[in-house]
Amino acid sequence: PWQDYTSFSEMDNDFTHTPTKGLDGMRVTAAHEFFHMIQIGYRSYQTPVLNSVFLYESCSVWMEDVVYNDINDYYNYLPYFFSHLSDPYNENTGTHMYGLSIFNHMLEQKYGRNVIRRIWEEFRDHETYQAINNALVAYGSNLSNELADFSIWNIFTGAHADTVNFYKEGNYYPDAKADKTSEFTNTLTISGNSQLLATN
C-alpha cells in the first residue's frame, strides 16, 4: 500500500576502478547496495515533495562502516566534505551526500544504531525532514538540534579531534576548513548569510 519495491543487485567482478580495491571494495559495495535494497523496501527514491537521494546515499555509506568497520572506505569522501562545510545538508552531489554519512555516525554515537532504523520507519509514511525529525523526537531531540550539533562535531576532527566527546574516528577525518577567520577585539560585527540547511 505504499511506495516500496523489491530489487536485486549485480556486482562488478574485479573492483579495480574503486577507491577501495579488490575484495574490500566488493565488501563495502555489497553492504552499501544491500542497504539500498532494504531502503526501497520502505520507500523509493523519488518522493512527492522532493528528491531525497541524499538520505539514501548517506545511510548506505554509513552501513558500509557498520558491516565492515575496519575497511573505512567512507574516509575517501571526507576531504571534499570537510572542505565544503558550507554546502547545504541536503546537497545531492555524490561526494557531499556520501560524506554526509558522518551525520549518521554522530546519531549512532549519541542514540544507538536503531535511530537510523527509526528514520526509515518514519520515512515510509512521511516526507524526508519530517521523518528524520519524528525519529529524533522519539529520542528526545529534533532535526534542528542535531544539525546544530553536527556543525559543532565537525570542528572536532583531524588535529582538533576529541574522540571521547565527538566522532570516535574523528582523528582520521580531515580538519574542518574555515571560510573566514576573524580576530575578536572589544567589538566584532559579523554579517552574512547561509543557504538553507547550511552552516557558515
Side-chain angles (χ1 to χ4, degrees):
W2 58 86
Q3 212 177 355
D4 61 322
Y5 289 85
T6 56
S7 59
F8 68 92
S9 182
E10 288 186 9
M11 299 284 286
D12 184 25
N13 66 355
D14 60 16
F15 286 90
T16 58
H17 63 283
T18 53
T20 301
K21 310 292 184 205
L23 289 176
D24 281 348
M26 182 210 60
R27 289 179 177 105
V28 293
T29 301
H32 182 111
E33 300 304 334
F34 185 72
F35 198 51
H36 280 322
M37 295 169 77
I38 292 170
Q39 292 164 356
I40 64 173
Y42 284 107
R43 191 169 188 178
S44 70
Y45 275 91
Q46 299 296 329
T47 70
V49 174
L50 50 82
N51 189 326
S52 52
V53 67
F54 75 90
L55 179 64
Y56 290 81
E57 295 300 346
S58 66
C59 288
S60 284
V61 173
W62 167 81
M63 182 56 75
E64 296 172 17
D65 202 55
V66 170
V67 178
Y68 295 107
N69 186 50
D70 294 334
I71 298 178
N72 297 318
D73 182 74
Y74 79 101
Y75 290 178
N76 291 301
Y77 307 115
L78 299 184
Y80 178 90
F81 186 86
F82 277 95
S83 62
H84 293 82
L85 287 174
S86 59
D87 285 356
Y89 165 78
N90 60 346
E91 179 68 44
N92 278 327
T93 59
T95 305
H96 183 274
M97 63 184 172
Y98 296 150
L100 186 62
S101 64
I102 61 172
F103 181 73
N104 301 310
H105 283 281
M106 179 192 79
L107 294 181
E108 178 188 1
Q109 274 185 241
K110 291 173 74 175
Y111 304 114
R113 195 167 286 167
N114 281 338
V115 68
I116 307 301
R117 175 189 283 186
R118 183 69 182 254
I119 290 170
W120 285 93
E121 289 170 348
E122 292 286 342
F123 186 51
R124 189 183 79 178
D125 300 312
H126 300 93
E127 290 305 319
T128 312
Y129 306 109
Q130 188 64 54
I132 298 169
N133 193 68
N134 288 354
L136 293 170
V137 165
Y139 287 87
S141 186
N142 58 55
L143 181 56
S144 295
N145 288 344
E146 297 307 329
L147 288 176
D149 264 8
F150 188 48
S151 298
I152 295 167
W153 279 51
N154 289 339
I155 297 169
F156 293 99
T157 60
H160 304 100
D162 175 347
T163 57
V164 174
N165 296 303
F166 301 101
Y167 299 114
K168 63 185 176 184
E169 297 179 358
N171 53 318
Y172 298 106
Y173 296 179
D175 287 307
K177 295 197 175 18
D179 296 328
K180 178 182 178 182
T181 58
S182 299
E183 188 172 319
F184 282 84
T185 57
N186 290 337
T187 304
L188 175 65
T189 301
I190 299 173
S191 63
N193 53 47
S194 66
Q195 299 179 65
L196 186 66
L197 299 178
T199 301
N200 277 2

